[in-house]
Amino acid sequence: MTNNYDDKRGIGMTSDRTRNRLAKRLEDQGIKSLDVLDKIRVIPRHIFVDEALASRAYEDTALPIGYGQTISQPFIVARMTEELLKHVQGGKILEIGTGCGYQTAILSLLFDKIFSVERIKDLLIKSKKRLRSIGIYNVSYLHDDGWNGWKKYGPYDGIIVTAAAAEVPEKLMQQLAINGTLVMPMGPEGKQELINVKRCKEKFEYKKLGAVSFVPLIKGKKLKK
Ligand code: SAH
């Protein structure tokens, strides 16, 4: 794949050195996958946030991306991606909650094809442009309510949901391939857990992966600004 990160590499607070430091911090916090750490070093996170926040893009923190939404914290992006990679090699990934597209970009370098669904149209359009500007083309985008999944291209080897719900949406379960894995935050605000659901034929096995904090998976797609 040809990527044009070079002109987006940044200087000072947004340079390669800053990204290396972030990767090192994530490694110290327990991220083991060298593939994931490598992609954290490669993707320029500062182009996913407002210019005024660019200097904070490599702190391990969530930042606002408009519409009351946040770019997920790098540790969480790395943790969820690492979890998917443990179970899925190559393959098709369904992502619910494109947001600013940072998680999408990381996934695009590790899996064959990404299908990304976002309910806020403006965020989706901007993310698509942003990813194309750095040469990422193996992503398809859909403006819809992620509770519906994206039936047309399913079943998926992996599903990642980047917003929290009290239950795993039924349609996502249906669109998960046999032996596929879904990773998502589950539970009400203040009590969310990251979970992994593995499909074995008609049986689903749940595993808890630790406490997290996400914005909610809202029902319905947003039609107007
Ligand atoms: N991982 C992304 C976004 C995290 S915020 C990033 O790092 O930028 C969660 C995103 O999920 C938001 O963009 C929000 O609009 C979206 N979202 C919430 N409910 C949704 C739904 N039902 N369907 C699709 N997207 C949804």
Side-chain angles (χ1 to χ4, degrees), residues 1-224:
M1 200 193 307
T2 51
N3 282 307
N4 0 300
Y5 313 122
D6 280 359
D7 61 335
K8 307 249 177 356
R9 275 169 118 157
I11 47 165
M13 289 304 286
T14 57
S15 65
D16 282 354
R17 220 178 54 201
T18 319
R19 269 186 294 285
N20 287 340
R21 244 191 334 251
L22 172 62
K24 174 77 174 65
R25 202 169 338 128
L26 299 183
E27 193 177 5
D28 291 345
Q29 286 171 12
I31 301 298
K32 292 191 183 68
S33 164
L34 297 180
D35 284 335
V36 172
L37 292 170
D38 183 52
K39 303 315 171 210
I40 296 277
R41 284 187 201 100
V42 167
I43 298 291
R45 191 170 187 255
H46 63 279
I47 70 160
F48 293 82
V49 295
D50 204 77
E51 245 172 86
L53 293 170
S55 67
R56 300 192 54 203
Y58 299 100
E59 293 173 14
D60 186 20
T61 175
L63 293 168
I65 55 171
Y67 302 93
Q69 304 304 314
T70 51
I71 178 173
S72 308
Q73 186 196 355
F75 176 76
I76 290 296
V77 170
R79 182 71 194 86
M80 289 176 90
T81 310
E82 178 173 71
E83 191 58 31
L84 268 188
L85 266 184
K86 272 189 206 160
H87 305 276
V88 185
Q89 272 83 44
K92 270 195 298 187
I93 304 293
L94 173 66
E95 178 190 42
I96 306 298
T98 318
C100 69
Y102 178 69
Q103 170 87 69
T104 323
I106 300 276
L107 292 171
S108 78
L109 302 184
L110 292 164
F111 299 94
D112 295 338
K113 178 86 197 169
I114 316 300
F115 296 85
S116 193
V117 183
E118 169 60 55
R119 67 181 287 276
I120 301 175
K121 195 169 187 179
D122 187 47
L123 286 179
L124 187 77
I125 292 170
K126 285 189 177 141
S127 293
K128 183 171 172 178
K129 272 201 196 133
R130 195 176 279 131
L131 293 186
R132 294 199 166 165
S133 82
I134 54 171
I136 292 175
Y137 294 102
N138 61 335
V139 180
S140 295
Y141 306 83
L142 178 70
H143 176 224
D144 198 5
D145 179 354
W147 283 85
N148 300 325
W150 193 348
K151 189 159 182 246
K152 188 170 171 191
Y153 298 104
Y156 300 94
D157 306 297
I159 300 182
I160 177 168
V161 186
T162 70
E167 61 196 313
V168 180
E170 178 62 35
K171 288 185 179 160
L172 297 189
M173 305 271 253
Q174 289 164 5
Q175 290 169 29
L176 189 61
I178 290 170
N179 295 323
T181 290
L182 174 147
V183 182
M184 77 174 276
M186 207 166 80
E189 220 185 309
K191 272 197 180 166
Q192 298 167 3
E193 281 251 22
L194 193 63
I195 60 151
N196 158 326
V197 183
K198 200 161 166 54
R199 178 171 197 169
C200 316
K201 295 211 174 120
E202 288 314 305
K203 228 178 75 208
F204 293 88
E205 283 171 8
Y206 285 69
K207 212 169 86 188
K208 288 184 179 176
L209 306 169
V212 284
S213 172
F214 274 82
V215 294
L217 187 68
I218 301 167
K219 285 203 171 138
K221 77 174 164 183
K222 193 166 167 11
L223 294 172
K224 296 212 175 87

